[in-house]
Amino acid sequence: LKLKKRYEAVVEERNYTGIQLIDRNDELCILYEKSNMQQTVLRKGELAIREREEEIRMLDLQVAELCREIEVTRRKLPKV
């Protein structure tokens, strides 16, 4: 009888531990999903930054070219 109660207690403890393991595994899966979503958002953000940096670089080149054209035009105008 004592052995049977001990067996039942151990089985109950095993079942509880199994449930905890399943719960922790579910939590881990959720954390992995969140991590993957954050990685995706991060990659998209980095790509957007690179695109904006390229856009800024191109605009800087256009500004420099316009400044050069203005200077050339000023030199061509007669002095008043």
Side-chain angles (χ1 to χ4, degrees):
L1 185 65
K2 190 175 184 182
L3 186 61
K4 184 177 181 184
K5 285 186 180 184
R6 175 77 179 126
Y7 172 78
E8 289 173 356
V10 169
V11 168
E12 189 174 322
E13 187 177 332
R14 181 203 64 191
N15 291 344
Y16 179 72
T17 304
I19 290 170
Q20 284 183 320
L21 179 63
I22 291 169
D23 289 344
R24 298 299 89 72
N25 191 48
D26 289 345
E27 291 172 9
L28 184 61
C29 288
I30 290 169
L31 290 174
Y32 274 124
E33 288 176 14
K34 286 181 180 181
S35 175
N36 289 338
M37 287 189 305
Q38 288 175 343
Q39 288 288 348
T40 300
V41 169
L42 179 62
R43 276 193 300 273
K44 288 180 181 179
E46 289 172 342
L47 178 61
I49 287 172
R50 282 195 299 274
E51 289 172 352
R52 293 301 160 259
E53 287 173 344
E54 180 63 20
E55 186 178 335
I56 289 169
R57 192 180 70 78
M58 293 301 294
L59 290 171
D60 285 342
L61 290 173
Q62 288 177 2
V63 167
E65 177 62 20
L66 289 172
C67 287
R68 190 191 66 75
E69 288 177 14
I70 289 171
E71 190 59 34
V72 167
T73 304
R74 280 188 181 147
R75 288 181 185 167
K76 288 181 180 179
L77 289 176
K79 304 259 180 184
V80 177

